[in-house]
Amino acid sequence: MTSPVTQSLERIPDQLGYLVIHEDGAVIASSGELENDEKTAGIIMNMVHMASRVQLSPDRNDPFKRLSVVFDTYMFVITISNHKVYVCKRKYLPSEPINA
Amino acid sequence: MGCCFGKDEDEYSGEQEPDERSPLLGNQIGNAINRPVTSDDFESQPSITKGDEQSALNRILHQTENNVIDVSALDSHTMEQHEYMDRARHYSTRLAIVGGNLRTMRKPVLPIGTTVPQAVLAGEPISIADIQLINSAAATAANALSNVKVQHKEELVVHFVIP
């Protein structure tokens, strides 16, 4: 399935794969390392449902914009748009030095 | 008089208004089941083996007859229009009472979110300083939670002094 959105997901710099999940949990589109990765999709949907319950601002209708799950060398960036959850796996290249 | 949950048989036997709890199958079938168990039921069993095939077949036929539920023979209770309305109103009021709980059981719907998902996903990754801030905040919170203890200050059992 190629739509303008999935085409632009392909062009995200350092992307390793993406998932488009319907809000009922069904995987609509996938590619790269996340191709047909239903397990990851399920885990991410749980995290999204959990995160959407967290009230970040006084306005209840102001949910998170982007959810980042960061690992050592890669990360998942997740956002919601039009009843679909967009997940992109990207290479994680820390640009700033770690000042512990 | 029965107790609270005593399922008294006579409760449904009269000309009662049928509701969602009234049995669909009337007594014309029930008598086969409710028939008191007599000694015949047990004594007649060996007679089958003794050879009277015709009576055995008749018995099987009779038993099958008892087990078959002839739905068409049951007098179906046709509901009038006003009965439908009454029930609809009754059910909707009941649903309104428990409805609040049902709604919370549904999975929460997702927020509308952004209109440009590709732009959000392509944005700069979260800064290391932010990750460190969250990590230290979470560690502090976890530490605080693990240190929550109950301090016993008073006696658990209090003796009332009755003057």
Side-chain angles (χ1 to χ4, degrees):
Chain A
M1 189 186 92
T2 49
S3 71
V5 176
T6 50
Q7 277 173 15
S8 53
L9 287 176
E10 297 267 13
R11 288 200 295 271
I12 289 174
D14 299 323
Q15 70 104 6
L16 301 169
Y18 66 80
L19 276 170
V20 183
I21 313 166
H22 194 262
E23 67 177 344
D24 64 9
V27 175
I28 301 170
S30 63
S31 111
E33 291 183 16
L34 293 177
E35 190 156 17
N36 297 325
D37 197 343
E38 305 256 349
K39 188 163 169 273
T40 306
I43 296 168
I44 284 172
M45 284 308 283
N46 278 337
M47 292 173 78
V48 166
H49 278 295
M50 180 73 79
S52 65
R53 292 218 303 270
V54 178
Q55 200 174 342
L56 297 172
S57 71
D59 181 12
R60 260 202 170 279
N61 296 316
D62 188 17
F64 68 90
K65 187 177 175 190
R66 188 175 75 174
L67 186 66
S68 300
V69 186
V70 182
F71 295 89
D72 284 340
T73 59
Y74 62 94
M75 63 176 179
F76 295 102
V77 283
I78 302 151
T79 192
I80 304 171
S81 175
N82 193 22
H83 303 290
K84 294 187 200 77
V85 175
Y86 292 84
V87 185
C88 185
K89 185 175 179 179
R90 292 171 65 182
K91 262 187 243 166
Y92 181 54
L93 308 161
S95 51
E96 303 165 52
I98 300 170
N99 39 6
Chain B
M1 291 293 280
C3 62
C4 284
F5 290 99
K7 295 218 188 297
D8 281 356
E9 279 298 316
D10 57 2
E11 198 178 334
Y12 297 123
S13 60
E15 275 295 309
Q16 207 194 16
E17 189 76 9
D19 59 5
E20 75 280 0
R21 290 182 195 281
S22 55
L24 289 172
L25 302 177
N27 276 335
Q28 57 265 61
I29 302 302
N31 59 5
I33 300 150
N34 292 339
R35 180 171 54 97
V37 179
T38 59
S39 56
D40 292 349
D41 292 351
F42 306 104
E43 286 171 0
S44 55
Q45 288 290 7
S47 71
I48 298 168
T49 55
K50 277 175 188 167
D52 195 355
E53 201 176 345
Q54 192 57 41
S55 78
L57 288 174
N58 276 336
R59 182 171 296 277
I60 291 168
L61 186 67
H62 190 66
Q63 275 186 346
T64 313
E65 237 174 44
N66 280 340
N67 288 335
V68 168
I69 299 170
D70 188 358
V71 177
S72 61
L74 297 171
D75 55 334
S76 57
H77 177 74
T78 51
M79 287 218 295
E80 300 290 331
Q81 185 65 29
H82 68 91
E83 276 186 90
Y84 273 120
M85 304 305 282
D86 281 351
R87 285 198 195 185
R89 206 178 311 118
H90 178 65
Y91 292 154
S92 55
T93 50
R94 292 292 301 171
L95 204 60
I97 295 166
V98 294
N101 298 333
L102 290 175
R103 209 169 297 127
T104 53
M105 278 156 62
R106 272 212 323 251
K107 239 188 179 176
V109 285
L110 292 175
I112 294 299
T114 175
T115 50
V116 278
Q118 63 275 28
V120 172
L121 295 184
E124 276 295 303
I126 188 167
S127 72
I128 290 171
D130 282 351
I131 294 177
Q132 283 174 345
L133 172 73
I134 292 296
N135 279 347
S136 67
T140 313
N143 190 32
L145 263 179
S146 64
N147 283 329
V148 170
K149 280 190 204 120
V150 178
Q151 279 191 344
H152 296 288
K153 285 193 169 172
E154 295 173 22
E155 286 293 317
L156 199 60
V157 179
V158 179
H159 295 281
F160 289 104
V161 182
I162 301 165

